[in-house]
Amino acid sequence: MSGSLIIAGLGPGADNLVTPQVQAALDQADEIVGYGPYVERVPARDGLTLHPSDNRVEIDRARHALEMAADGRRVVVVSSGDPGVFAMAAAVFEAVEAGPRAWRDLEIAVLPGITAMLAAAARVGAPLGHDFCAINLSDNLKPWALIEKRLRLAAEADFAMAFYNPRSKARPAGFARVLEVLNEACRDQRPVIFARAVSTPEESIRIVPLPEARPEMADMRTMVLVGTSATRLIERNGLPFVYTPRSVPA
Amino acid sequence: MSGSLIIAGLGPGADNLVTPQVQAALDQADEIVGYGPYVERVPARDGLTLHPSDNRVEIDRARHALEMAADGRRVVVVSSGDPGVFAMAAAVFEAVEAGPRAWRDLEIAVLPGITAMLAAAARVGAPLGHDFCAINLSDNLKPWALIEKRLRLAAEADFAMAFYNPRSKARPAGFARVLEVLNEACRDQRPVIFARAVSTPEESIRIVPLPEARPEMADMRTMVLVGTSATRLIERNGLPFVYTPRSVPA
């Protein structure tokens, strides 16, 4: 019996944003592995074992999944959003590289999902409609100075920016500093979008000019998008549209 | 009768990468508007009118869609991948802003899709597993000098990079210059992934070290991904895995 390991993206939350490819993988799985709140999104059924685990144990979780696949089980590791964007795919490949040689020849596949920045962007218009970057604001796995350096270079490049993990209870001060750095580097009124829990019943969206952005507008469920110097608001009844024009004049 | 305009992402090509949300919008549409090859992906049925158009007429296409929505039709503008990433969403909002005031209060929604860079990344592992940027290499709508500037800043930031529209018959020389700039700025053997027509029957994937990347490895159907200085290959039977570690040591 030949096992397999699939690393699947569940999208940002709504069932109608789960691809049919991922749904088929869930339907055929023997074992579901992942962070508790993501595993909870998979309905129980006969023959399926759920393995929820805590946050910040990605490598242990990856090894456990690989062991079960090597043992002949059909294992699906679930991530929110897309598994390749600040999620489980990189952790699984770290574990593969560090693990037994036989793990390399397991059947391993990554199934993409709707990542949070694209779901958030779609809710307000097209703020990522020009060149952009995606930065994980957690300094759990990289030096804080590198985050600040990247923010400054991204502002100089005039990229739109998408920030994952902007703020947590363990890191209350970092995002305040991010806003300081951006205000120093950008010196304008470009829009900042705080998109919380997009596509879930708890969804909330807030759009403010950069100088009015405040740390407490974000938490760990918030995706933060920052426009380029050219990003525009279209005022209307209700939430304005936000878009970044495709063109930069010569 | 109240019309609506939905800008929907069809994903990179395979039907099982179309979200149920987008499928439902297609099933309820009166009019489908878009670039010919994308409109062709929507099956004909009674009550549905297909409006395929040529490349490079995005604003005309957007206006036509808005006019039909204002006229009470349920219109879906289709894009490949995600509509907010170098696709139709920004063009529609440009047309909204420049158009009659009444267009602003139309029911307009963007439905996200699996964008090409995430489908390509998933096929090889997790090359975008750390901070990254997405750059449109076409200089149809921006000065070439800005593209070179962004490449240099992205290399300095040590972002992984995803390149859309790397090369076309109308722009044969630009991508050769991109590779020159990257080699100057990076001076290493980081992997470059050429992922053509991902998830379609014509899919092909090639992975080479940056100094061995050649312009003719890309065409308009190719997504190009460039690793960071830390991106790793895991050799195995068949195509290696490529991943960018989550951590940067202090």
Side-chain angles (χ1 to χ4, degrees), chain B residues 142-173:
Chain B
K142 65 189 167 196
W144 181 259
L146 182 59
I147 295 175
E148 290 201 15
K149 177 182 173 181
R150 285 180 177 157
L151 293 172
R152 289 202 180 84
L153 291 166
E156 190 180 346
D158 207 11
F159 284 134
M161 303 179 211
F163 299 143
Y164 287 75
N165 304 317
R167 193 158 173 261
S168 74
K169 284 175 191 159
R171 300 178 287 106

mmCIF file of all heavy atoms in Angstrom, chain B residues 142-173:
data_model
loop_
_atom_site.group_PDB
_atom_site.id
_atom_site.type_symbol
_atom_site.label_atom_id
_atom_site.label_comp_id
_atom_site.label_asym_id
_atom_site.label_seq_id
_atom_site.Cartn_x
_atom_site.Cartn_y
_atom_site.Cartn_z
ATOM 1 N N LYS B 142 4.270 50.696 -18.335
ATOM 2 C CA LYS B 142 5.170 51.393 -17.402
ATOM 3 C C LYS B 142 6.550 51.471 -18.041
ATOM 4 O O LYS B 142 6.880 50.672 -18.909
ATOM 5 C CB LYS B 142 5.206 50.683 -16.042
ATOM 6 C CG LYS B 142 5.800 49.297 -16.057
ATOM 7 C CD LYS B 142 5.587 48.587 -14.713
ATOM 8 C CE LYS B 142 5.909 47.111 -14.862
ATOM 9 N NZ LYS B 142 5.411 46.264 -13.789
ATOM 10 N N PRO B 143 7.373 52.417 -17.582
ATOM 11 C CA PRO B 143 8.692 52.576 -18.191
ATOM 12 C C PRO B 143 9.602 51.385 -17.875
ATOM 13 O O PRO B 143 9.550 50.834 -16.773
ATOM 14 C CB PRO B 143 9.245 53.844 -17.524
ATOM 15 C CG PRO B 143 8.120 54.460 -16.769
ATOM 16 C CD PRO B 143 7.103 53.403 -16.519
ATOM 17 N N TRP B 144 10.407 51.007 -18.834
ATOM 18 C CA TRP B 144 11.330 49.891 -18.623
ATOM 19 C C TRP B 144 12.263 50.147 -17.438
ATOM 20 O O TRP B 144 12.580 49.231 -16.667
ATOM 21 C CB TRP B 144 12.142 49.605 -19.893
ATOM 22 C CG TRP B 144 13.048 48.438 -19.656
ATOM 23 C CD1 TRP B 144 14.382 48.466 -19.379
ATOM 24 C CD2 TRP B 144 12.657 47.067 -19.564
ATOM 25 N NE1 TRP B 144 14.854 47.206 -19.137
ATOM 26 C CE2 TRP B 144 13.809 46.324 -19.241
ATOM 27 C CE3 TRP B 144 11.430 46.395 -19.723
ATOM 28 C CZ2 TRP B 144 13.784 44.943 -19.076
ATOM 29 C CZ3 TRP B 144 11.408 45.016 -19.553
ATOM 30 C CH2 TRP B 144 12.569 44.307 -19.234
ATOM 31 N N ALA B 145 12.695 51.395 -17.287
ATOM 32 C CA ALA B 145 13.632 51.711 -16.197
ATOM 33 C C ALA B 145 13.036 51.365 -14.834
ATOM 34 O O ALA B 145 13.763 50.976 -13.910
ATOM 35 C CB ALA B 145 14.007 53.196 -16.240
ATOM 36 N N LEU B 146 11.728 51.490 -14.698
ATOM 37 C CA LEU B 146 11.079 51.161 -13.426
ATOM 38 C C LEU B 146 11.154 49.652 -13.157
ATOM 39 O O LEU B 146 11.351 49.218 -12.009
ATOM 40 C CB LEU B 146 9.615 51.634 -13.453
ATOM 41 C CG LEU B 146 8.811 51.413 -12.176
ATOM 42 C CD1 LEU B 146 9.439 52.124 -10.984
ATOM 43 C CD2 LEU B 146 7.354 51.874 -12.371
ATOM 44 N N ILE B 147 11.032 48.860 -14.205
ATOM 45 C CA ILE B 147 11.156 47.403 -14.036
ATOM 46 C C ILE B 147 12.560 47.063 -13.531
ATOM 47 O O ILE B 147 12.722 46.309 -12.561
ATOM 48 C CB ILE B 147 10.852 46.684 -15.367
ATOM 49 C CG1 ILE B 147 9.390 46.907 -15.761
ATOM 50 C CG2 ILE B 147 11.173 45.182 -15.259
ATOM 51 C CD1 ILE B 147 8.998 46.334 -17.122
ATOM 52 N N GLU B 148 13.582 47.650 -14.144
ATOM 53 C CA GLU B 148 14.956 47.348 -13.702
ATOM 54 C C GLU B 148 15.185 47.798 -12.265
ATOM 55 O O GLU B 148 15.826 47.106 -11.475
ATOM 56 C CB GLU B 148 15.981 48.005 -14.647
ATOM 57 C CG GLU B 148 16.001 47.340 -16.010
ATOM 58 C CD GLU B 148 17.298 47.599 -16.772
ATOM 59 O OE1 GLU B 148 18.303 48.040 -16.161
ATOM 60 O OE2 GLU B 148 17.297 47.374 -18.002
ATOM 61 N N LYS B 149 14.656 48.975 -11.941
ATOM 62 C CA LYS B 149 14.796 49.465 -10.559
ATOM 63 C C LYS B 149 14.151 48.494 -9.565
ATOM 64 O O LYS B 149 14.733 48.168 -8.523
ATOM 65 C CB LYS B 149 14.129 50.852 -10.447
ATOM 66 C CG LYS B 149 14.148 51.433 -9.050
ATOM 67 C CD LYS B 149 13.429 52.784 -8.995
ATOM 68 C CE LYS B 149 13.305 53.257 -7.542
ATOM 69 N NZ LYS B 149 12.587 54.540 -7.437
ATOM 70 N N ARG B 150 12.960 48.026 -9.900
ATOM 71 C CA ARG B 150 12.276 47.095 -8.991
ATOM 72 C C ARG B 150 13.023 45.774 -8.863
ATOM 73 O O ARG B 150 13.073 45.180 -7.777
ATOM 74 C CB ARG B 150 10.832 46.877 -9.460
ATOM 75 C CG ARG B 150 9.980 48.083 -9.144
ATOM 76 C CD ARG B 150 8.526 47.959 -9.567
ATOM 77 N NE ARG B 150 7.829 49.175 -9.118
ATOM 78 C CZ ARG B 150 6.701 49.642 -9.636
ATOM 79 N NH1 ARG B 150 6.095 48.990 -10.613
ATOM 80 N NH2 ARG B 150 6.168 50.744 -9.158
ATOM 81 N N LEU B 151 13.600 45.299 -9.949
ATOM 82 C CA LEU B 151 14.368 44.049 -9.868
ATOM 83 C C LEU B 151 15.543 44.205 -8.909
ATOM 84 O O LEU B 151 15.821 43.327 -8.080
ATOM 85 C CB LEU B 151 14.892 43.661 -11.252
ATOM 86 C CG LEU B 151 13.840 43.256 -12.292
ATOM 87 C CD1 LEU B 151 14.502 43.099 -13.660
ATOM 88 C CD2 LEU B 151 13.160 41.952 -11.883
ATOM 89 N N ARG B 152 16.242 45.331 -9.021
ATOM 90 C CA ARG B 152 17.416 45.539 -8.158
ATOM 91 C C ARG B 152 17.002 45.649 -6.686
ATOM 92 O O ARG B 152 17.659 45.089 -5.798
ATOM 93 C CB ARG B 152 18.169 46.807 -8.589
ATOM 94 C CG ARG B 152 18.891 46.632 -9.908
ATOM 95 C CD ARG B 152 20.045 47.623 -10.089
ATOM 96 N NE ARG B 152 20.677 47.374 -11.375
ATOM 97 C CZ ARG B 152 20.244 47.865 -12.546
ATOM 98 N NH1 ARG B 152 19.181 48.670 -12.569
ATOM 99 N NH2 ARG B 152 20.857 47.558 -13.661
ATOM 100 N N LEU B 153 15.925 46.387 -6.428
ATOM 101 C CA LEU B 153 15.456 46.532 -5.044
ATOM 102 C C LEU B 153 14.933 45.197 -4.499
ATOM 103 O O LEU B 153 15.161 44.865 -3.331
ATOM 104 C CB LEU B 153 14.375 47.615 -4.963
ATOM 105 C CG LEU B 153 14.890 49.042 -5.203
ATOM 106 C CD1 LEU B 153 13.719 50.002 -5.437
ATOM 107 C CD2 LEU B 153 15.751 49.531 -4.035
ATOM 108 N N ALA B 154 14.277 44.431 -5.349
ATOM 109 C CA ALA B 154 13.767 43.123 -4.901
ATOM 110 C C ALA B 154 14.930 42.198 -4.567
ATOM 111 O O ALA B 154 14.878 41.436 -3.588
ATOM 112 C CB ALA B 154 12.876 42.504 -5.976
ATOM 113 N N ALA B 155 15.993 42.250 -5.358
ATOM 114 C CA ALA B 155 17.174 41.426 -5.068
ATOM 115 C C ALA B 155 17.824 41.882 -3.767
ATOM 116 O O ALA B 155 18.223 41.057 -2.938
ATOM 117 C CB ALA B 155 18.164 41.493 -6.226
ATOM 118 N N GLU B 156 17.915 43.206 -3.577
ATOM 119 C CA GLU B 156 18.505 43.729 -2.340
ATOM 120 C C GLU B 156 17.683 43.313 -1.119
ATOM 121 O O GLU B 156 18.234 43.019 -0.054
ATOM 122 C CB GLU B 156 18.607 45.261 -2.436
ATOM 123 C CG GLU B 156 19.421 45.860 -1.296
ATOM 124 C CD GLU B 156 19.524 47.396 -1.379
ATOM 125 O OE1 GLU B 156 19.203 47.972 -2.451
ATOM 126 O OE2 GLU B 156 19.898 47.997 -0.359
ATOM 127 N N ALA B 157 16.359 43.299 -1.270
ATOM 128 C CA ALA B 157 15.480 42.873 -0.168
ATOM 129 C C ALA B 157 15.524 41.359 0.041
ATOM 130 O O ALA B 157 15.001 40.854 1.022
ATOM 131 C CB ALA B 157 14.045 43.313 -0.443
ATOM 132 N N ASP B 158 16.134 40.654 -0.891
ATOM 133 C CA ASP B 158 16.175 39.180 -0.897
ATOM 134 C C ASP B 158 14.766 38.583 -0.897
ATOM 135 O O ASP B 158 14.494 37.574 -0.240
ATOM 136 C CB ASP B 158 17.013 38.635 0.274
ATOM 137 C CG ASP B 158 17.614 37.265 -0.054
ATOM 138 O OD1 ASP B 158 17.555 36.841 -1.230
ATOM 139 O OD2 ASP B 158 18.131 36.614 0.868
ATOM 140 N N PHE B 159 13.871 39.212 -1.655
ATOM 141 C CA PHE B 159 12.554 38.629 -1.906
ATOM 142 C C PHE B 159 12.691 37.482 -2.905
ATOM 143 O O PHE B 159 13.473 37.579 -3.863
ATOM 144 C CB PHE B 159 11.617 39.660 -2.567
ATOM 145 C CG PHE B 159 11.067 40.722 -1.656
ATOM 146 C CD1 PHE B 159 11.068 42.054 -2.059
ATOM 147 C CD2 PHE B 159 10.503 40.404 -0.435
ATOM 148 C CE1 PHE B 159 10.543 43.050 -1.245
ATOM 149 C CE2 PHE B 159 9.969 41.392 0.386
ATOM 150 C CZ PHE B 159 9.987 42.724 -0.016
ATOM 151 N N ALA B 160 11.914 36.411 -2.744
ATOM 152 C CA ALA B 160 11.631 35.563 -3.895
ATOM 153 C C ALA B 160 10.835 36.407 -4.881
ATOM 154 O O ALA B 160 10.202 37.398 -4.492
ATOM 155 C CB ALA B 160 10.852 34.326 -3.470
ATOM 156 N N MET B 161 10.892 36.061 -6.158
ATOM 157 C CA MET B 161 10.228 36.886 -7.169
ATOM 158 C C MET B 161 9.365 36.017 -8.077
ATOM 159 O O MET B 161 9.770 34.923 -8.451
ATOM 160 C CB MET B 161 11.272 37.596 -8.039
ATOM 161 C CG MET B 161 12.248 38.452 -7.246
ATOM 162 S SD MET B 161 13.480 39.261 -8.333
ATOM 163 C CE MET B 161 14.886 39.339 -7.181
ATOM 164 N N ALA B 162 8.216 36.557 -8.425
ATOM 165 C CA ALA B 162 7.331 35.903 -9.392
ATOM 166 C C ALA B 162 7.129 36.880 -10.543
ATOM 167 O O ALA B 162 6.731 38.022 -10.321
ATOM 168 C CB ALA B 162 5.997 35.573 -8.735
ATOM 169 N N PHE B 163 7.436 36.430 -11.748
ATOM 170 C CA PHE B 163 7.325 37.305 -12.927
ATOM 171 C C PHE B 163 6.162 36.879 -13.811
ATOM 172 O O PHE B 163 6.118 35.747 -14.303
ATOM 173 C CB PHE B 163 8.605 37.257 -13.762
ATOM 174 C CG PHE B 163 9.829 37.729 -13.037
ATOM 175 C CD1 PHE B 163 11.055 37.102 -13.248
ATOM 176 C CD2 PHE B 163 9.784 38.802 -12.161
ATOM 177 C CE1 PHE B 163 12.202 37.521 -12.584
ATOM 178 C CE2 PHE B 163 10.929 39.237 -11.487
ATOM 179 C CZ PHE B 163 12.138 38.593 -11.701
ATOM 180 N N TYR B 164 5.247 37.815 -14.019
ATOM 181 C CA TYR B 164 4.152 37.620 -14.964
ATOM 182 C C TYR B 164 4.555 38.253 -16.308
ATOM 183 O O TYR B 164 5.291 39.238 -16.346
ATOM 184 C CB TYR B 164 2.871 38.286 -14.446
ATOM 185 C CG TYR B 164 2.223 37.544 -13.287
ATOM 186 C CD1 TYR B 164 2.763 37.610 -12.007
ATOM 187 C CD2 TYR B 164 1.083 36.775 -13.472
ATOM 188 C CE1 TYR B 164 2.178 36.922 -10.951
ATOM 189 C CE2 TYR B 164 0.484 36.088 -12.411
ATOM 190 C CZ TYR B 164 1.036 36.170 -11.158
ATOM 191 O OH TYR B 164 0.459 35.492 -10.109
ATOM 192 N N ASN B 165 4.019 37.702 -17.387
ATOM 193 C CA ASN B 165 4.262 38.232 -18.739
ATOM 194 C C ASN B 165 5.758 38.438 -19.008
ATOM 195 O O ASN B 165 6.178 39.520 -19.389
ATOM 196 C CB ASN B 165 3.522 39.567 -18.938
ATOM 197 C CG ASN B 165 2.036 39.431 -18.676
ATOM 198 O OD1 ASN B 165 1.418 38.463 -19.097
ATOM 199 N ND2 ASN B 165 1.461 40.390 -17.968
ATOM 200 N N PRO B 166 6.569 37.395 -18.852
ATOM 201 C CA PRO B 166 8.008 37.593 -18.973
ATOM 202 C C PRO B 166 8.452 37.963 -20.383
ATOM 203 O O PRO B 166 9.446 38.684 -20.534
ATOM 204 C CB PRO B 166 8.590 36.229 -18.571
ATOM 205 C CG PRO B 166 7.491 35.243 -18.819
ATOM 206 C CD PRO B 166 6.225 35.994 -18.510
ATOM 207 N N ARG B 167 7.725 37.513 -21.407
ATOM 208 C CA ARG B 167 8.283 37.619 -22.753
ATOM 209 C C ARG B 167 7.153 37.461 -23.757
ATOM 210 O O ARG B 167 6.262 36.641 -23.576
ATOM 211 C CB ARG B 167 9.282 36.465 -22.947
ATOM 212 C CG ARG B 167 10.180 36.586 -24.155
ATOM 213 C CD ARG B 167 11.406 35.725 -23.931
ATOM 214 N NE ARG B 167 12.229 35.672 -25.129
ATOM 215 C CZ ARG B 167 12.208 34.677 -26.006
ATOM 216 N NH1 ARG B 167 11.420 33.644 -25.840
ATOM 217 N NH2 ARG B 167 13.001 34.727 -27.072
ATOM 218 N N SER B 168 7.184 38.274 -24.805
ATOM 219 C CA SER B 168 6.200 38.128 -25.880
ATOM 220 C C SER B 168 6.892 38.419 -27.195
ATOM 221 O O SER B 168 8.010 38.932 -27.223
ATOM 222 C CB SER B 168 5.023 39.079 -25.689
ATOM 223 O OG SER B 168 5.420 40.400 -26.004
ATOM 224 N N LYS B 169 6.227 38.095 -28.299
ATOM 225 C CA LYS B 169 6.801 38.381 -29.620
ATOM 226 C C LYS B 169 7.052 39.871 -29.786
ATOM 227 O O LYS B 169 8.012 40.284 -30.441
ATOM 228 C CB LYS B 169 5.869 37.862 -30.720
ATOM 229 C CG LYS B 169 5.959 36.350 -30.878
ATOM 230 C CD LYS B 169 4.946 35.825 -31.886
ATOM 231 C CE LYS B 169 4.898 34.293 -31.795
ATOM 232 N NZ LYS B 169 3.659 33.746 -32.335
ATOM 233 N N ALA B 170 6.190 40.689 -29.192
ATOM 234 C CA ALA B 170 6.344 42.148 -29.332
ATOM 235 C C ALA B 170 7.480 42.687 -28.460
ATOM 236 O O ALA B 170 7.930 43.816 -28.664
ATOM 237 C CB ALA B 170 5.034 42.844 -28.970
ATOM 238 N N ARG B 171 7.911 41.898 -27.449
ATOM 239 C CA ARG B 171 8.949 42.359 -26.533
ATOM 240 C C ARG B 171 10.010 41.264 -26.384
ATOM 241 O O ARG B 171 10.174 40.684 -25.312
ATOM 242 C CB ARG B 171 8.342 42.657 -25.146
ATOM 243 C CG ARG B 171 7.266 43.720 -25.125
ATOM 244 C CD ARG B 171 6.696 43.918 -23.708
ATOM 245 N NE ARG B 171 5.840 42.822 -23.305
ATOM 246 C CZ ARG B 171 6.145 41.874 -22.428
ATOM 247 N NH1 ARG B 171 7.311 41.864 -21.816
ATOM 248 N NH2 ARG B 171 5.291 40.913 -22.143
ATOM 249 N N PRO B 172 10.740 40.962 -27.451
ATOM 250 C CA PRO B 172 11.666 39.825 -27.370
ATOM 251 C C PRO B 172 12.908 40.100 -26.513
ATOM 252 O O PRO B 172 13.505 39.167 -25.978
ATOM 253 C CB PRO B 172 12.063 39.584 -28.834
ATOM 254 C CG PRO B 172 11.864 40.906 -29.501
ATOM 255 C CD PRO B 172 10.747 41.587 -28.780
ATOM 256 N N ALA B 173 13.295 41.358 -26.333
ATOM 257 C CA ALA B 173 14.594 41.660 -25.719
ATOM 258 C C ALA B 173 14.526 41.857 -24.205
ATOM 259 O O ALA B 173 15.511 41.660 -23.498
ATOM 260 C CB ALA B 173 15.197 42.910 -26.355
#
